[in-house]
Amino acid sequence: MSQIKYTEDHEWIEIHGDGTATIGITDFAQEQLGDLVYVEVPEEGSVITKGDAVSVIESVKAASDLIAPVTGTIVEVNHVLDDEPEMVNEDPMGAGWFIKVQIDDESELEDLMDEAAYQACIE
């Protein structure tokens, strides 16, 4: 069974039962950025550290970063975003995911928000 958590930087992280997680930006974030024109995803096998910028997101309005919500190793990258960055606008919490990671320290998940807390954060 998976569980979704959120960051104050507007990333979502779907935690799977096998120690891996899928990460992307929230619907709120993509709405704030507007139409995305470029997404730079990191390399598979890269080690990411919680709080570090791991991906560049450029839109018609601004540039932003995907901030790592956890420390871990990237096990899969969504290369569809190389050619179709608009996928993030169309389905930010589905086909518009950015990376999948093997989580190093699951205790870091305790710092993340559940959906109710995130909704209160963006209101």
Side-chain angles (χ1 to χ4, degrees):
M1 185 172 173
S2 64
Q3 176 184 20
I4 298 178
K5 298 265 193 169
Y6 300 87
T7 72
E8 292 178 357
D9 296 314
H10 310 292
E11 286 86 18
W12 59 267
I13 175 169
E14 182 177 11
I15 304 143
H16 309 290
D18 61 356
T20 64
T22 303
I23 299 169
I25 64 171
T26 65
D27 190 50
F28 176 83
Q30 68 83 20
E31 284 181 12
Q32 295 298 308
L33 287 167
D35 293 335
L36 297 190
V37 294
Y38 176 75
V39 173
E40 179 186 296
V41 290
E43 296 290 323
E44 290 177 12
S46 301
V47 174
I48 61 173
T49 302
K50 181 179 179 177
D52 286 354
V54 296
S55 183
V56 175
I57 308 163
E58 292 183 15
S59 73
V60 293
K61 290 183 180 177
S64 185
D65 294 313
L66 178 76
I67 305 298
V70 291
T71 300
T73 302
I74 298 173
V75 295
E76 189 175 346
V77 171
N78 187 358
H79 288 292
V80 171
L81 302 182
D82 294 338
D83 297 323
E84 300 177 48
E86 67 276 9
M87 186 64 70
V88 178
N89 293 116
E90 294 169 8
D91 192 11
M93 296 188 66
W97 61 274
F98 282 64
I99 56 174
K100 294 183 179 181
V101 300
Q102 178 69 48
I103 301 170
D104 280 357
D105 182 1
E106 293 194 18
S107 70
E108 291 177 343
L109 299 170
E110 296 170 11
D111 298 334
L112 303 175
M113 293 180 277
D114 62 17
E115 184 169 358
Y118 180 69
Q119 290 300 320
C121 177
I122 61 174
E123 288 180 357

